[in-house]
């Protein structure tokens, strides 16, 4: 098995509610037009990764932390790990809408952590689009949630919640904590008080 064998195909991306990149293999004009109309109705303005040459890793793991606003989930942290498990990006994000629940037990985010943050959602989008080429591979656990909150579409995705199966079978999906314990022999996401750590989760996905 190579990394290319693990990439989600168009049907898997659609079944798992991924935002579909215009260069996704197998994308027909009809599906592209249907998706465009759907995004316009939902007022979901996405940006697409583009192809460019760059040095370093071409495989990245990405994980986001989110908090809850009155309009839904908002981005509050982004962490990206390269193939050698180096942290290449880790930013807290200042939401442009009031947060009604920090979801600290999951996000690890508190009001104090965001108080002096100046990095905007737009800043993060720009940074990621300069770092990750459309030819690169993104790995994550239920990565659709991260890409949807980032409003970024990317064609080459490996989802650890899809390529590994839940012991009870579909439609259930394995938790990242279970995968880390079972296949990597270490524990993650162990504290409800501190919450999840997006660096730790991204590293587990890459491993």
């Amino acid at each position: 098995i190579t990394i290319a064998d693990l990439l989600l195909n168009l049907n898997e991306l659609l079944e798992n509610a991924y935002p579909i990149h215009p260069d996704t293999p197998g994308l027909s004009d009809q599906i592209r037009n249907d998706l465009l109309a759907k995004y316009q109705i939902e007022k979901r303005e996405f940006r697409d990764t583009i192809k460019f040459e760059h040095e370093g890793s071409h495989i990245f793991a990405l994980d986001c932390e989110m908090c809850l606003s009155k309009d839904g989930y908002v981005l509050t942290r982004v962490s990206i790990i390269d193939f050698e498990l180096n942290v290449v990006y880790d930013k807290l994000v200042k939401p442009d809408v009031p947060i009604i629940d920090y979801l600290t037990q999951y996000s690890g985010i508190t009001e104090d952590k965001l108080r002096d943050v100046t990095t905007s959602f737009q800043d993060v989008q720009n940074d990621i689009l300069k770092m990750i080429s459309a030819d690169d591979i993104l790995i994550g656990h239920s990565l659709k949630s991260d890409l949807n909150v980032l409003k970024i579409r990317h064609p080459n995705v490996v989802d650890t919640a899809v390529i590994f199966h839940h012991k009870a079978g579909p439609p259930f999906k394995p938790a990242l904590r279970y995968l880390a314990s079972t296949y990597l022999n270490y524990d993650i996401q162990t504290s409800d008080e501190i919450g999840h750590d997006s660096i730790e989760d991204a590293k587990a996905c890459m491993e």
Side-chain angles (χ1 to χ4, degrees), residues 167-183:
K167 59 184 178 181
F172 302 105
K173 293 182 179 179
L176 184 59
R177 178 164 55 183
Y178 165 80
L179 294 179
S181 174
T182 302
Y183 297 104

Side-chain angles (χ1 to χ4, degrees), residues 4 11 64-65 70 72-73 76 83 96 114 167:
N11 286 337
C64 296
E65 302 298 352
K70 64 180 181 61
Y73 291 106
T76 48
F83 192 66
D96 56 5
L114 294 183
K167 59 184 178 181

Side-chain angles (χ1 to χ4, degrees), residues 65-137:
E65 302 298 352
M66 308 165 206
C67 297
L68 190 63
S69 76
K70 64 180 181 61
D71 298 321
Y73 291 106
V74 291
L75 181 70
T76 48
R77 186 183 179 187
V78 185
S79 300
I80 301 176
I81 309 299
D82 70 11
F83 192 66
E84 302 299 327
L85 302 180
N86 300 307
V87 179
V88 294
Y89 191 81
D90 183 40
K91 295 274 189 176
L92 291 169
V93 186
K94 188 73 171 180
D96 56 5
V97 293
I99 293 176
I100 60 174
D101 190 342
Y102 285 88
L103 303 173
T104 304
Q105 71 271 32
Y106 303 111
S107 69
I109 302 296
T110 63
E111 184 177 3
D112 284 343
K113 285 186 177 182
L114 294 183
R115 181 166 286 117
D116 298 322
V117 173
T118 59
T119 302
S120 69
F121 176 82
Q122 189 77 35
D123 292 335
V124 169
Q125 270 194 332
N126 291 337
D127 291 344
I128 291 175
L129 293 175
K130 290 176 184 176
M131 180 184 305
I132 297 173
S133 165
D135 287 328
D136 295 338
I137 293 173

